[in-house]
């Protein structure tokens, strides 16, 4: 058994060296498909011993990914991007995480950006011509991989392999300009793709087009089904959460969206936090306090690896700020000041927390105190 890492790139000289270094001895080969780099990306890949081919970019990520798969000659493939890093706790080789005779592929423990929890991502799979990517953007192998597993009576287990993504750090304006047209085309052709609707709304928000972002959420909810796979339902829920957040931030009515999420049993932590914000807005300090305490009590190291990732600020900065507002609303000034101080300790760049803590009489600590801060 051997594994090839398949990477598509374009002007990734900043990220690619660390990606290749992270692969180390985990894989046997590296295939790099370049879609039009004008920097040192190709030279870096070749110097690292990767097999490099060119692919004329046509606005279709699946096509580029599949071009990379065509170059894979090993029994297994790991697909990874240049702005990601792979690791295997305890060392060893990636193929040791899977049994060739029993599995069609496996899920890795994926962190979508620093400060988020991990979730399941199907990145490791058999190199079979029936398994190919689909989707112009947010391309996926899941339909083909699941079909292959069922046809061959194989499983798709969770593996100890970890991948961390760093591409959301820094200026995202170039991705916004690129992604909005691609996402609009994708949801036009495949309106049932909830993940793409949610990402479209987020990109429109980043571009300052808030009304259009809210509209995209409404259209996404109307175009997707409540009866899809677990992943589909999770993605659809994220559309509703994005809509609720945008409505709260623009001062519009969010009650029905949040109440529907809660009624459907979608009482995950992101929904719970939104419910806390709504409670505070409605003057229900007791409910906001209950939710804030629940969130700050979560052991983030013990979060289950599920189908979605959580922004860890939900359990730290945001939850403590929620508590600060709730205590203040309840007339408990001292506790409000302490809560805002805890929020500031976790986000020392947010001077509003510090100002509120000081105004409420808290003995302001130091940002370095966050590691010793009481999480309860």
């Amino acid at each position: 058994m051997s594994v090839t890492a398949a990477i598509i790139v374009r002007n990734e000289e900043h990220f690619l060296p660390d990606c290749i270094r992270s692969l180390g001895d985990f894989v046997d080969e590296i295939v790099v498909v370049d879609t039009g780099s004008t920097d040192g990306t190709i030279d870096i890949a070749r110097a690292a011993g990767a097999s490099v081919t060119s692919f004329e970019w046509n606005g279709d990520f699946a096509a580029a990914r599949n071009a990379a798969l065509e170059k894979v000659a090993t029994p297994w493939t790991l697909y990874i991007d240049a702005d990601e890093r792979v690791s295997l706790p305890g060392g060893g080789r990636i193929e040791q995480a899977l049994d060739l005779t029993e599995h069609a592929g496996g899920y890795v423990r994926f962190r979508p950006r620093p400060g988020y929890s991990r979730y399941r991502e199907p990145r490791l799979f058999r190199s079979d011509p029936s398994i190919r990517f689909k989707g112009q953007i947010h391309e996926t192998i899941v339909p083909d991989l699941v079909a292959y597993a069922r046809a061959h009576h194989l499983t798709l287990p969770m593996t100890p392999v970890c991948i961390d993504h760093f591409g959301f750090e820094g200026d995202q304006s170039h991705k916004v300009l690129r992604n909005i047209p691609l996402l609009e085309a994708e949801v036009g052709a495949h309106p049932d793709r909830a993940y793409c609707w949610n990402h479209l709304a987020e990109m429109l928000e980043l571009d300052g087009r808030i009304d259009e972002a809210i509209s995209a959420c409404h259209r996404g909810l109307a175009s997707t089904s409540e009866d899809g796979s677990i992943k589909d339902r999770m993605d659809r829920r994220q559309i509703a959460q994005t809509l609720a957040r945008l409505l709260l931030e623009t001062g519009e009515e969010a009650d029905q969206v949040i109440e529907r999420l809660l009624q459907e049993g979608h009482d995950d932590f992101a929904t719970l936090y939104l419910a806390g914000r709504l409670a505070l807005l409605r003057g229900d300090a007791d409910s906001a306090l209950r939710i804030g305490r629940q969130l700050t009590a979560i052991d983030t190291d013990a979060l289950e690896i599920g189908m979605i990732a959580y922004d860890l600020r939900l359990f730290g900065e945001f939850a403590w700020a929620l508590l600060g507002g709730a205590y203040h609303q309840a007339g408990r000034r001292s506790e409000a000041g302490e809560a805002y101080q805890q929020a500031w300790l976790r986000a020392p760049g947010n001077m509003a927390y510090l100002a509120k803590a000081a105004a409420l009489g808290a003995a302001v600590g130091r940002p370095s105190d966050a590691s010793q801060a009481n999480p309860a």
Side-chain angles (χ1 to χ4, degrees), residues 293-325:
R293 289 169 182 150
Q294 184 176 342
L295 291 172
T296 57
I298 297 298
D299 179 0
T300 56
D301 291 332
L303 281 175
E304 181 181 353
I305 305 291
M307 302 301 291
I308 59 172
Y310 287 110
D311 184 338
L312 296 180
R313 291 177 297 178
L314 290 174
F315 314 102
E317 173 196 346
F318 294 168
W320 282 107
L322 176 64
L323 280 172

Side-chain angles (χ1 to χ4, degrees), residues 7-85:
I7 313 173
I8 62 172
V9 296
R10 183 174 187 177
N11 293 335
E12 296 286 4
E13 67 178 5
H14 174 69
F15 284 113
L16 187 59
D18 285 340
C19 175
I20 291 176
R21 276 193 290 270
S22 79
L23 290 167
D25 296 327
F26 291 151
V27 300
D28 299 274
E29 299 176 6
I30 301 173
V31 166
V32 173
V33 168
D34 183 76
T35 64
S37 292
T38 57
D39 63 0
T41 295
I42 293 177
D43 292 339
I44 291 169
R46 286 179 175 155
S51 169
V52 181
T53 58
S54 297
F55 177 84
E56 185 175 352
W57 177 246
N58 61 1
D60 188 329
F61 280 95
R65 294 269 188 214
N66 291 334
L69 295 186
E70 294 295 334
K71 302 296 182 180
V72 173
T74 58
W76 285 81
T77 300
L78 173 77
Y79 90 84
I80 186 170
D81 287 330
D83 57 2
E84 296 173 348
R85 313 285 177 266

Side-chain angles (χ1 to χ4, degrees), residues 186-203:
E186 184 64 22
V187 297
H190 304 285
D192 59 332
R193 294 199 67 191
Y195 187 92
C196 290
W197 280 111
N198 187 63
H199 193 206
L200 175 59
E202 291 177 336
M203 290 292 99

Side-chain angles (χ1 to χ4, degrees), residues 220-266:
L221 290 172
S223 302
T224 56
S225 172
E226 299 178 10
D227 302 318
S229 67
I230 294 176
K231 180 64 166 61
D232 290 337
R233 295 196 300 272
M234 290 284 188
D235 290 340
R236 191 173 189 278
R237 177 167 69 194
Q238 287 194 291
I239 300 175
Q241 290 172 344
T242 298
L243 174 60
R245 178 179 57 78
L246 289 171
L247 292 175
L248 284 171
E249 291 173 357
T250 55
E252 296 186 42
E253 179 64 55
D255 299 55
Q256 290 186 354
V257 180
I258 295 173
E259 288 172 5
R260 175 71 182 274
L261 282 168
L262 294 172
Q263 288 169 2
E264 291 176 349
H266 298 327

Side-chain angles (χ1 to χ4, degrees), residues 86-200:
V86 65
S87 61
L88 187 59
R93 294 177 54 80
I94 286 179
E95 64 262 31
Q96 294 171 331
L98 286 175
D99 184 334
L100 179 63
T101 62
E102 296 182 359
H103 306 315
Y107 290 92
V108 305
R109 300 164 187 263
F110 186 75
R111 192 185 305 279
R113 60 191 301 174
Y116 274 62
S117 64
R118 297 187 183 276
Y119 72 99
R120 298 169 180 255
E121 267 275 293
R123 292 298 193 92
L124 189 61
F125 53 94
R126 294 189 184 222
S127 306
D128 188 276
S130 68
I131 302 174
R132 289 294 183 266
F133 288 92
K134 293 179 171 63
Q136 184 174 349
I137 186 170
H138 293 308
E139 62 284 4
T140 178
I141 57 164
V142 170
D144 285 359
L145 184 55
V146 170
Y148 179 92
R150 288 174 177 168
H152 295 273
H153 307 290
L154 299 170
T155 58
L156 297 167
M158 190 71 182
T159 75
V161 178
C162 296
I163 294 180
D164 291 86
H165 181 223
F166 296 92
F168 281 126
E169 306 310 296
D171 182 14
Q172 298 295 301
S173 58
H174 65 292
K175 289 188 177 181
V176 170
L177 294 174
R178 179 198 69 188
N179 287 349
I180 289 177
L182 292 176
L183 287 163
E184 288 175 335
E186 184 64 22
V187 297
H190 304 285
D192 59 332
R193 294 199 67 191
Y195 187 92
C196 290
W197 280 111
N198 187 63
H199 193 206
L200 175 59

